[in-house]
Structure formats: structure tokens, C-alpha cells
Amino acid sequence: FALLAMLLSFSSPTFAENVAKIGNTEYATLADAMADANKAAGNYTITLLQDNAEVFTFAQKRGVNITVDGDGNTFSGKITLNAGSGNLTFTDAKIAPANSQTIYLNASTAPNVTFDGCTLQGANKSGAIIYGYASNTSNALTVKNCTADNLQYIVSHRQTGAKSVLVENVTATNMIYLVRTLKCPSVTVKNVTFDGVIGIDIKNDNVDG
């Protein structure tokens, strides 16, 4: 009995819960799930199983389309997109750019990036959901059906620009700029409600469009 009591006195070991899944396959990290999806062309849905704050770099391959379904969880990490292609979409998530930007475009080509049906939540009017500083980025940046609060920008592309920016069906409060672009050939802002937002800053010097 003494031995049994001693064994029971030790706490059971704890294991980190997996944070993402594709179908019935679970992954310890979102980065692992995206890397697995990136092995072959196709359409993949990654579901977050809990709040996530990963910071990692990703180069999405041509023909790979990834949807990250937040399932109501919060993503407060940062994904730096290096040269790549395809489509990367976030849905049904609270997006909190605790690391300055949620998506950072870091190459001349990158996936088309979409946030659809998300809550975009900054702090102290800081942070951007999509931020690009690479030149000649040939991608489409879309934010739609979202609410945004207390951010610096929703989309900020500071060099020669994405091929298009679309912000549609968004309610934005307590921000600096909704969209800030430089030399982007197509910017569309549609069905947007502003409150406490300075406005839109578009500078299209020497660009056709």
C-alpha cells in the first residue's frame, strides 16, 4: 500500500496538445501542417485546434492552395511569405498582429492572400494584417467580410505594389489608415464603414491603372 500511495502521489506527465489538423491528421504546429500541405499541388484546409502565436517563414509552391480555418481561435503569430505562388486564405479566426504584421510579404512573388470572415484586432492603433515591402510583388491581397479595430493598417504595401488590393464588406474602427499603398495598379474599397479612421492613403506614381 505504501508503494501504491507513493506512485499515486506523482502527477501524470503532461503533453503539448496539437494545434492544427488536416482532415484527421493532427500537427504539433501550424508550420508543420502548412509544410505538409506544401508537398504536392492541391487544395488543403488546415483547422486550428487552439489559439496560436507561431512566427515562421513559408514559401508556398505553385498549385498549392491553403485555407487556414481558425474555427474561432486566435492567431497572433506572424508568417513571412518568401517567393511562392498559390492562394493562402484565413477564415473564421481572430487575427491579432502581436508581431507587427500577421502576413509579411518578403519576395517579388508570393501567394494571393485573403482574410475572409475574420475579426482583426490590434492594440494602440498598431499592427497590420498584410504588410509588403518587397518590390514587384505579383499577388492579389483581399480582406472581406471582416471587422477591424485598433490597427495601424489593414493592408499596407510600401513599394511597387501588389497587383491588386481589395477591401470589401469591412467595418473599421479606431484605426489610422484602412489601406496604404504605393504604386499598386488596382485598389478597391467597397461597402466599408469607417469610425475613427483617418482614411485611405494611395500613392500611384508612374503606374498604369
Side-chain angles (χ1 to χ4, degrees), residues 62-209:
R62 183 178 300 277
V64 174
N65 301 307
I66 297 174
T67 296
V68 179
D69 179 358
D71 198 26
N73 292 298
T74 297
F75 181 69
S76 57
K78 177 178 178 178
I79 303 175
T80 297
L81 295 178
N82 283 341
S85 186
N87 299 284
L88 176 61
T89 301
F90 282 79
T91 65
D92 190 26
K94 180 178 179 181
I95 307 297
N99 294 279
S100 299
Q101 303 99 25
T102 298
I103 296 294
Y104 180 73
L105 305 170
N106 191 43
S108 59
T109 58
N112 300 319
V113 179
T114 298
F115 287 83
D116 186 0
C118 295
T119 299
L120 315 176
Q121 185 62 55
N124 302 317
K125 294 186 179 180
S126 65
I129 301 304
I130 304 173
Y131 186 91
Y133 209 83
S135 60
N136 301 315
T137 302
S138 56
N139 56 352
L141 309 178
T142 302
V143 177
K144 60 183 180 179
N145 309 316
C146 294
T147 60
D149 178 64
N150 219 1
L151 292 162
Q152 186 174 14
Y153 317 106
I154 292 179
V155 177
S156 178
H157 208 298
R158 303 296 298 279
Q159 284 291 345
T160 57
K163 66 183 180 183
S164 68
V165 172
L166 169 64
V167 176
E168 182 176 13
N169 297 331
V170 169
T171 298
T173 55
N174 194 32
M175 291 174 48
I176 298 179
Y177 289 107
L178 185 79
V179 175
R180 192 175 197 187
T181 66
L182 176 66
K183 299 181 180 180
C184 178
S186 175
V187 179
T188 302
V189 176
K190 185 176 180 181
N191 298 332
V192 171
T193 300
F194 289 71
D195 185 11
V197 180
I198 291 175
I200 304 166
D201 183 11
I202 300 172
K203 297 177 181 179
N204 279 355
D205 299 336
N206 302 318
V207 170
D208 294 330

